Each structure stands twice: as C-alpha cells, then as structure tokens.
Amino acid sequence: MKKTGASLVVYALEQIGTSFTFGIPGVHNTEIYDEINKSEKIEPILVTHESCAAFMADAISRTSDKTGTLVIVPAAGMTHAMSGIGEAFLDGIPMLIISGGTRRDSDKTYQLHQLDQSKIVGSLVKKYFLIENQNDILKTIYEAYDIANSGEPGPVFIEIPVEIQMFKGDVDEILEYKKPEIKNTFEIEKIKEAAKILANSKNPALYLGWGAVDATEYTIKIAELLNSPVATTLQGLSSFPANNALHTGLGFGKNATPTGQKAFKNVDCILAVGVRFSELATGSYGIEVPENLIHIDINPQVFGKNYKSKINF
C-alpha cells in the first residue's frame, strides 16, 4: 500500500497515546500539521517560539503519563527548542522531537533551513533518527518512543525530510504499537549484602532523588523500619512525603537546613536511590558520605563519579 509520510506520523503519534503536540508550522512540516488538524485524538498547541514549545512538552512529561512531543521546523526551530531539549536531557525527562527536514530527492543545496541537525543535537538527545522512506516511519517513531521512556528517560530526535511527508510511498504494513516487555534483572546477592549492611548500621539514612519518585511506598517502609532520616534532592522533593516525621528536607550537607545537618551528622550508612550526587544537590560537592554508601540508580554511569559507593546496583 502507499501512504504519505505525514499521515503515518500522525497515526504513529496516536498509537503511542499523544494528546498534544507543541511547535510552529512551517514550510518543512506543513503536511504533518495538516494531518494533525484532522486527528480527533491530538490537539496541536501552537506557540510563538519553539523554546516555549520544548518547555511545555517537558511539563507534559513531568506531570502526566504522556510523553511531551514537539513538531518543529528544522534549523531555526531546532535551535530555538534546544534549551528545553537540553533541560529534558539533563533531568532525565522523556521527549519526542519530530522535525521537518530539507528535501533529499534533489541535487540542490543551500536550501532554506538546510544544515546537519544530527551534529547539533547529538549531545543533547538519547538518539537521532533520519527517516529514509515512508516505510521507516512507524517503526522508527515506536522505537524512539521506547528509547525516550526506557532506562534513564530523555529526548529523542526524528528528522523527516519534507518530500517523505508530502508524497506517498510503499508501506509493508500498518503496524500497531506494542509496548515492549521489560524484564528486570536483580542481583540478589548485592541486595542481600545491602540489606545486611543496613540492618547492622547504628545510624542509617536515606537520600532520595527524582529516580525514586515511583518507589515512595517502599522508601517509606524502609525508612520507618530503620527509623532513619530521609533527605531528598531538589528535583526529588516529591519522592518522599514532606509530612512524614522522618523527612528532613532538601540535602544534608552544609547547604541543608539545621534539621537535615543534625539528623545526618553521625550516619554510618546511606541508602541513596535515584540520585547522581550532582553539584546542586550536594551543595557544590560539600557533603560527606560514610564508607557504607549503597547507591541504586537506573543509569550505571552515575556510580562512583563523585562519591565512591560500597555497593551499587
């Protein structure tokens, strides 16, 4: 069968549950916006600057179960959106960026908005895709969505040349989106060792970040079982209820409240979950951690970067 790229883009966005797109229509994405306008499931939110669009998409991802989605023109649209894309990348926020692209079906160069977007956005996204034909669109958008939401989440960029949007091309089949099955692997021996260290500690504490926001039920149980103080990062404030008596506030170093500093003064073990021990959270790396630091994070690259852990997984 033959389908236009623009119609396939909108079909794929509907399949993954997109409710809103953010951006500005232009010569390199008009066809996509025309198709979005026909959709009964997606509302295009038009802005006056793509930076606004990127931060609005970021907000959707932070506050709902949807993945914020941009539909922008290449070059200027991309560069304008980079502040919001960078924010999502640094904070681990999923985002899809659908960008138009200049024509690849002619031998003409110096086209309007023609530049190598992959080189510019490469360091700010988890992955960059260039669509080669209509048959690539559905599987690429589904893959991009899964990448954006898996592991440590982040933005993924898809460039779709304008001729692929405009014209019909061969499509093998209209694929429906299927959520991949995630198989967690647990290092049970490390878990047992960490539990033993916590149980034998006289003054254990918890330090929670953004990565622990979905584990609140369990961190409350652990904290209450150990009767341990709990501090959070700025981004992870919502990872532990502030009305819990064990919550000491933001941080525990010299930049923390007197309550946090006193509660963590003599800790001999810290269970750190979903934190990166970054500059802001540690008060310019001013905290001190005990030898028994147990560090849990979905991104193994964060381990040992600023503070050495005894156990990490």
Side-chain angles (χ1 to χ4, degrees), residues 70-142:
L70 302 182
V71 178
I72 58 176
V73 295
M78 175 269 295
T79 56
H80 291 169
M82 284 184 70
S83 291
I85 295 171
E87 183 76 13
F89 182 77
L90 291 172
D91 285 356
I93 304 300
M95 182 183 292
L96 277 181
I97 306 104
I98 308 293
S99 168
T102 52
R103 296 190 69 151
R104 307 293 174 109
D105 61 342
S106 74
D107 60 354
K108 304 302 181 185
T109 191
Y110 304 118
Q111 297 179 44
L112 175 67
H113 290 181
Q114 185 178 30
L115 50 73
D116 189 341
Q117 297 195 113
S118 65
K119 291 182 179 178
I120 299 174
V121 302
S123 63
L124 290 183
V125 297
K126 292 183 71 175
K127 191 164 184 178
Y128 162 89
F129 291 94
L130 173 63
I131 298 295
E132 301 286 351
N133 54 63
Q134 288 82 352
N135 201 46
D136 286 343
I137 291 176
L138 297 183
K139 59 185 179 182
T140 299
I141 291 178
Y142 297 159

Side-chain angles (χ1 to χ4, degrees), residues 12-22 42-43 53-71 88 92-98 126 141-150 153-158 177 179:
L13 293 180
E14 290 177 342
Q15 283 284 302
I16 61 177
T18 303
S19 297
F20 305 97
T21 61
F22 303 91
I42 303 173
E43 180 181 356
F55 282 105
M56 292 165 78
D58 179 286
I60 286 288
S61 293
R62 290 178 191 263
T63 59
S64 73
D65 60 354
K66 304 291 185 180
T67 297
T69 302
L70 302 182
V71 178
I93 304 300
M95 182 183 292
L96 277 181
I97 306 104
I98 308 293
K126 292 183 71 175
I141 291 178
Y142 297 159
E143 181 183 355
Y145 176 77
D146 291 337
I147 291 172
N149 287 280
S150 63
V156 179
F157 195 98
I158 307 171
Y177 174 71
K179 189 175 182 178

Side-chain angles (χ1 to χ4, degrees), residues 21-308:
T21 61
F22 303 91
I24 301 176
V27 67
H28 293 97
N29 64 12
T30 301
E31 284 70 27
I32 294 176
Y33 271 99
D34 284 345
E35 292 293 332
I36 292 174
N37 197 43
K38 300 175 187 176
S39 174
E40 297 180 356
K41 298 179 180 179
I42 303 173
E43 180 181 356
I45 307 297
L46 305 187
V47 298
T48 55
H49 196 285
E50 286 88 354
S51 180
C52 300
F55 282 105
M56 292 165 78
D58 179 286
I60 286 288
S61 293
R62 290 178 191 263
T63 59
S64 73
D65 60 354
K66 304 291 185 180
T67 297
T69 302
L70 302 182
V71 178
I72 58 176
V73 295
M78 175 269 295
T79 56
H80 291 169
M82 284 184 70
S83 291
I85 295 171
E87 183 76 13
F89 182 77
L90 291 172
D91 285 356
I93 304 300
M95 182 183 292
L96 277 181
I97 306 104
I98 308 293
S99 168
T102 52
R103 296 190 69 151
R104 307 293 174 109
D105 61 342
S106 74
D107 60 354
K108 304 302 181 185
T109 191
Y110 304 118
Q111 297 179 44
L112 175 67
H113 290 181
Q114 185 178 30
L115 50 73
D116 189 341
Q117 297 195 113
S118 65
K119 291 182 179 178
I120 299 174
V121 302
S123 63
L124 290 183
V125 297
K126 292 183 71 175
K127 191 164 184 178
Y128 162 89
F129 291 94
L130 173 63
I131 298 295
E132 301 286 351
N133 54 63
Q134 288 82 352
N135 201 46
D136 286 343
I137 291 176
L138 297 183
K139 59 185 179 182
T140 299
I141 291 178
Y142 297 159
E143 181 183 355
Y145 176 77
D146 291 337
I147 291 172
N149 287 280
S150 63
E152 182 176 351
V156 179
F157 195 98
I158 307 171
E159 180 174 348
I160 309 176
V162 67
E163 77 277 4
I164 294 176
Q165 301 173 41
M166 294 171 60
F167 303 132
K168 290 184 177 181
D170 292 322
V171 179
D172 294 337
E173 59 179 324
I174 303 299
L175 300 169
E176 294 184 359
Y177 174 71
K178 293 182 180 179
K179 189 175 182 178
E181 183 180 350
I182 299 175
K183 295 182 179 180
N184 291 316
T185 56
F186 299 99
E187 298 180 77
I188 191 64
E189 293 305 318
K190 281 190 174 182
I191 294 174
K192 288 180 179 179
E193 186 180 355
K196 185 177 180 180
I197 291 173
L198 281 167
N200 292 332
S201 298
K202 292 182 179 180
N203 297 299
L206 273 67
Y207 182 43
L208 308 177
W210 174 253
V213 292
D214 293 325
T216 302
E217 176 186 351
Y218 303 101
T219 52
I220 290 174
K221 289 181 180 179
I222 293 172
E224 293 180 346
L225 179 65
L226 298 173
N227 193 33
S228 61
V230 180
T232 73
T233 64
L234 178 61
Q235 193 179 3
L237 281 174
S238 61
S239 61
F240 200 84
N243 59 359
N244 188 296
L246 295 171
H247 191 202
T248 63
L250 171 63
F252 58 87
K254 294 180 180 179
N255 63 318
T257 63
T259 301
Q261 293 183 44
K262 290 177 181 178
F264 276 74
K265 184 176 181 179
N266 296 312
V267 298
D268 57 355
C269 176
I270 291 180
L271 174 62
V273 184
V275 300
R276 296 178 289 196
F277 290 98
S278 62
E279 181 177 9
L280 181 61
T282 60
S284 295
Y285 317 109
I287 64 171
E288 295 182 4
V289 300
E291 180 182 350
N292 288 334
L293 173 62
I294 301 167
H295 194 178
I296 302 173
D297 199 275
I298 200 168
N299 181 2
Q301 294 183 6
V302 306
F303 298 138
K305 281 292 191 294
N306 294 321
Y307 293 90
K308 184 179 179 180

